[in-house]
Amino acid sequence: KLREIDKLKMNPEAVVDQLQREKLASEGEVRAACASLERELDLLERIPKMVFDVETENGARYLEFREGDDCYELAKQFCRQHNLDRELIRPLAHHMEQKLRDQELID
């Protein structure tokens, strides 16, 4: 679809019909879907090195650490996703780093 959209963008607007305009209008949605699929593919290709159980008010949630992940960024994303207090980011990241070092999974 993106190739088709890119080709359509090269055409003068006067020669683009209604269906082609609709396809052009869907570019943002198509790009967002592609980005989402790329993120999912990246997660599938990088097997978790460690999975953390994090207790929240809504029960246990799982946080997967993969090769190339940054503990602070992962903790920040996790806290945002689960509506947890920002003050928990640093302690969560520190705990993750400590456990990963104990298992000799990071330096």
Side-chain angles (χ1 to χ4, degrees), residues 42-55:
D42 178 57
L43 291 176
L44 289 173
E45 290 176 343
R46 294 185 307 132
I47 297 170
K49 284 184 139 189
M50 185 174 273
V51 178
F52 297 91
D53 297 336
V54 181
E55 287 294 328

Side-chain angles (χ1 to χ4, degrees), residues 66-79:
R66 291 176 164 80
E67 184 72 40
D69 282 345
D70 176 87
C71 288
Y72 181 81
E73 289 301 318
L74 202 56
K76 186 166 77 171
Q77 179 183 6
F78 181 85
C79 288

Side-chain angles (χ1 to χ4, degrees), residues 14-96:
V15 299
V16 177
D17 66 27
Q18 182 60 32
L19 288 174
Q20 292 170 326
R21 282 189 189 93
E22 289 173 12
K23 191 175 279 189
L24 284 168
S26 71
E27 180 181 8
E29 184 179 320
V30 171
R31 289 196 184 279
C34 283
S36 176
L37 288 172
E38 286 172 351
R39 282 190 301 275
E40 288 181 40
L41 181 60
D42 178 57
L43 291 176
L44 289 173
E45 290 176 343
R46 294 185 307 132
I47 297 170
K49 284 184 139 189
M50 185 174 273
V51 178
F52 297 91
D53 297 336
V54 181
E55 287 294 328
T56 70
E57 291 178 358
N58 298 322
R61 299 290 182 250
Y62 303 104
L63 177 56
E64 297 177 341
F65 179 88
R66 291 176 164 80
E67 184 72 40
D69 282 345
D70 176 87
C71 288
Y72 181 81
E73 289 301 318
L74 202 56
K76 186 166 77 171
Q77 179 183 6
F78 181 85
C79 288
R80 188 178 324 122
Q81 181 181 3
H82 295 285
N83 297 317
L84 301 175
D85 193 335
R86 291 182 52 87
E87 292 178 9
L88 297 174
I89 295 171
R90 285 198 191 282
L92 178 57
H94 178 73
H95 174 76
M96 290 168 54

Side-chain angles (χ1 to χ4, degrees), residues 4 6-7 18 33 38 86 104:
E4 292 173 15
D6 287 339
K7 285 180 185 178
Q18 182 60 32
E38 286 172 351
R86 291 182 52 87
E104 299 179 357

